[in-house]
Amino acid sequence: MTTLSQLEGRLLYKFVNSSLLEEALTHSSYTNEQKDISIKSDYERLEFLGDAVLELIITDILLDKYPTKTEGDLSKARSSIVREEILVKISKKIEVGSFVKLGKGEKRAGGGQRDSILACALEAIIGAIYKDRGYQYAYNFVNYFWSDYMEKVFTDELDVDYKTRLQELVQAKYKEVPEYELLKTAGPAHNRTFKVRVRVADGLDSIGIGTSKKEAEQVAAHKAFKSLITREEAVL
C-alpha cells in the first residue's frame, strides 16, 4: 500500500502542510465521485501555479548556467525542457502515477499512467512545494530532477521535439505541414501501444510505434526528419 511518506521520500522533500500534497495528487474524477463536501479540491489550481513556477525556475537556471547564450537560444532550450514528454519521464521516474487519486472509471481506464495526468500531477507537486515552503525549495526540487536535461539541452543527446523540427523543415521546404494518422491501437488500457504514420510532401512517409500516441508521433517524426535531412545531404 502506497503512502504519502513514501512519495515524499521519492520527491526528496518533506511537506510541512501535507494537505497540499494530497491536493496535488487528486484528480477531478475523484472529487466528482465524493459525497463528502470537504473533499472538493483537485490538482488543477496547483497545476496552474506549478506550470508558472517551473518555467520561472528553468529560466533562472538557464540564465545562470549558460551566460553566453542568446535570448532566442534560451527560449528554445526552455521550451524543450518544460514540454510534456520531459514531465512525463520525470513523473514516471518518481512513480507519481501510483499515488494519484482517480475516480473509478478513470482508474479502470489506466489513468494513472496517462501522460496528461502524469505531467499535470508533477506540475501540481511543484506548485504545492512552492506554496508549502517557497521558491528556494521548489528551485531545489526542479534543479535536482531536471539536472540531466539541463546538461544536455544544447547537445544532440537531449530528447528533441522532432514534431516541431519536422514541421519547421517541411514548411520551409514544401510550404506544407506533415499529416499524422493513427493506424492502430493495441493492448489493454494500462499497457497500450500506438502505431502512427506521418505523411510528408514529396511522397515520404514514416511509421512510429510508442506507448502513447504522442510518443508514436515523435518516433515517426524523428524517422521522417532524418530521411529528409539525408535526402538534402545527398543532393549537395
Side-chain angles (χ1 to χ4, degrees):
M1 183 176 179
T2 56
T3 65
L4 290 184
S5 61
Q6 287 177 312
L7 178 57
E8 287 177 325
R10 295 177 186 275
L11 296 173
L12 305 178
Y13 179 82
K14 177 69 175 176
F15 276 83
V16 175
N17 181 0
S18 61
S19 65
L20 285 167
L21 179 56
E22 291 180 3
E23 183 179 338
L25 296 169
T26 303
H27 188 258
S28 59
S29 63
Y30 180 84
T31 58
N32 291 339
E33 291 182 3
Q34 302 308 304
K35 294 181 181 179
D36 185 348
I37 60 173
S38 67
I39 302 175
K40 57 186 179 181
S41 296
D42 58 46
Y43 63 47
E44 291 181 1
R45 289 172 61 84
L46 285 175
E47 176 211 342
F48 175 72
L49 173 62
D51 176 67
V53 172
L54 174 61
E55 190 159 306
L56 174 60
I57 292 171
I58 293 297
T59 303
D60 198 355
I61 296 171
L62 286 172
L63 284 170
D64 289 341
K65 192 172 184 62
Y66 300 102
T68 63
K69 294 294 183 181
T70 67
E71 181 271 341
D73 290 335
L74 294 170
S75 180
K76 288 181 180 179
R78 182 179 62 195
S79 295
S80 71
I81 290 178
V82 302
R83 71 182 194 271
E84 183 179 277
E85 289 86 352
I86 302 298
L87 283 159
V88 170
K89 287 188 175 185
I90 295 172
S91 192
K92 286 182 176 179
K93 180 180 180 180
I94 301 171
E95 297 185 11
V96 170
S98 300
F99 299 87
V100 177
K101 293 181 180 179
L102 301 166
K104 293 177 182 177
E106 189 66 55
K107 194 171 184 178
R108 282 195 301 269
Q113 294 304 313
R114 186 173 296 171
D115 285 358
S116 59
I117 290 177
L118 292 174
C120 290
L122 183 57
E123 287 183 326
I125 288 170
I126 294 170
I129 293 173
Y130 176 81
K131 290 281 284 185
D132 192 51
R133 284 203 273 183
Y135 179 81
Q136 189 59 53
Y137 284 90
Y139 179 99
N140 293 343
F141 174 84
V142 172
N143 191 42
Y144 178 81
F145 284 101
W146 267 261
S147 60
D148 287 345
Y149 301 103
M150 289 294 186
E151 294 295 331
K152 299 174 182 177
V153 68
F154 291 108
T155 74
D156 292 335
E157 295 180 59
L158 183 68
D159 294 331
V160 178
D161 181 2
Y162 279 103
K163 282 189 68 177
T164 298
R165 293 186 67 177
L166 178 64
Q167 180 165 321
E168 290 173 347
L169 182 60
V170 172
Q171 283 181 321
K173 187 174 179 62
Y174 301 104
K175 311 303 180 187
E176 298 180 13
V177 295
E179 295 180 359
Y180 293 86
E181 178 187 2
L182 178 60
L183 299 177
K184 184 179 180 181
T185 303
H190 66 281
N191 190 29
R192 285 181 178 163
T193 58
F194 297 79
K195 185 176 183 180
V196 169
R197 172 191 289 128
V198 60
R199 287 192 175 93
V200 183
D202 204 17
L204 174 67
D205 66 8
S206 296
I207 302 294
I209 297 175
T211 57
S212 69
K213 183 180 176 184
K214 288 186 177 181
E215 182 181 348
E217 288 175 345
Q218 284 287 348
V219 173
H222 187 187
K223 291 179 180 179
F225 181 83
K226 289 198 299 184
S227 294
L228 281 177
I229 294 297
T230 300
R231 282 189 183 185
E232 289 189 353
E233 290 175 346
V235 171
L236 296 176

